[in-house]
């Protein structure tokens, strides 16, 4: 966990004046340091809650363990839970392939990380959302049918928004991402 506010907890990486992107990139560097014997690296927002939404036969009674079961069963390059804002069209489907997936909770397979991460900080002064848009485009380009949303669990966050930087000019990250390919 990264905190911009509380350096007192020894289990938290303190990163004063960090952005959403620089904080996640610091966690990425820590996770990639040896020993790094993981299959999935999961990023999630600290103010979200993961809940079991529907039972398709893999539920455990613990939403995080259920999500792990889905990772083991399906082995996607990128995975996310259902999200309270992106339910239309996927409700009733156990697993779906959305184009857009919120950064509130993302799991990246270790083999996909070199192509998708670190998060770009190119646009931090304009919008913290642009880095996720870049991840979405790259995952669609390289792992289109391996970007899964597990609808048995859902990420819930009653406090959406609140990012310090939220410009809404989506062609900027689109052009930049395409040029980096």
């Amino acid at each position: 966990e990264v905190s911009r506010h509380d350096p007192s907890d020894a289990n938290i990486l303190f990163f004063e004046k960090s952005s959403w992107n620089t904080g996640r990139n610091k966690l990425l560097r820590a996770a990639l340091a040896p020993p790094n014997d993981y299959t999935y690296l999961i990023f999630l927002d600290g103010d979200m809650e993961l809940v079991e939404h529907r039972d398709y036969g893999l539920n455990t009674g613990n939403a995080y363990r259920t999500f792990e079961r889905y990772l083991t069963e399906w082995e996607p390059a990128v995975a996310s839970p259902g999200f309270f804002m992106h339910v239309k069209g996927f409700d009733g489907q156990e697993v779906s392939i959305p184009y857009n997936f919120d950064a509130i909770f993302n799991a990246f397979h270790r083999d996909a990380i070199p192509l998708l991460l670190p998060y770009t900080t190119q646009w931090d002064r304009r919008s913290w959302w642009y880095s996720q848009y870049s991840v979405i485009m790259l995952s669609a380009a390289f792992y289109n049918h391996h970007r899964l949303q597990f609808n048995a669990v859902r990420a819930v966050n009653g406090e959406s928004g609140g990012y310090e930087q939220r410009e809404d000019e989506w062609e900027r990250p689109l052009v930049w991402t395409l040029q980096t390919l």
Side-chain angles (χ1 to χ4, degrees), residues 74-120:
W74 289 82
E75 297 182 354
V78 181
S80 61
F83 185 52
F84 75 97
M85 293 174 53
H86 303 136
V87 182
K88 292 180 182 173
F90 298 130
D91 212 22
Q93 294 180 22
E94 181 178 11
V95 178
S96 52
I97 302 174
Y99 173 73
N100 188 24
F101 50 94
D102 198 278
I104 193 170
F105 187 113
N106 294 164
F108 297 95
H109 191 281
R110 68 177 301 117
D111 295 339
I113 288 172
L115 286 172
L116 303 178
L117 299 174
Y119 289 95
T120 180

Side-chain angles (χ1 to χ4, degrees), residues 44-51 63-64 81 104-105 154-158:
L44 56 103
D45 288 358
D47 60 349
M48 58 84 40
E49 180 183 356
L50 194 65
V51 296
Y64 294 94
I104 193 170
F105 187 113
R154 186 170 286 169
V156 179
N157 180 348

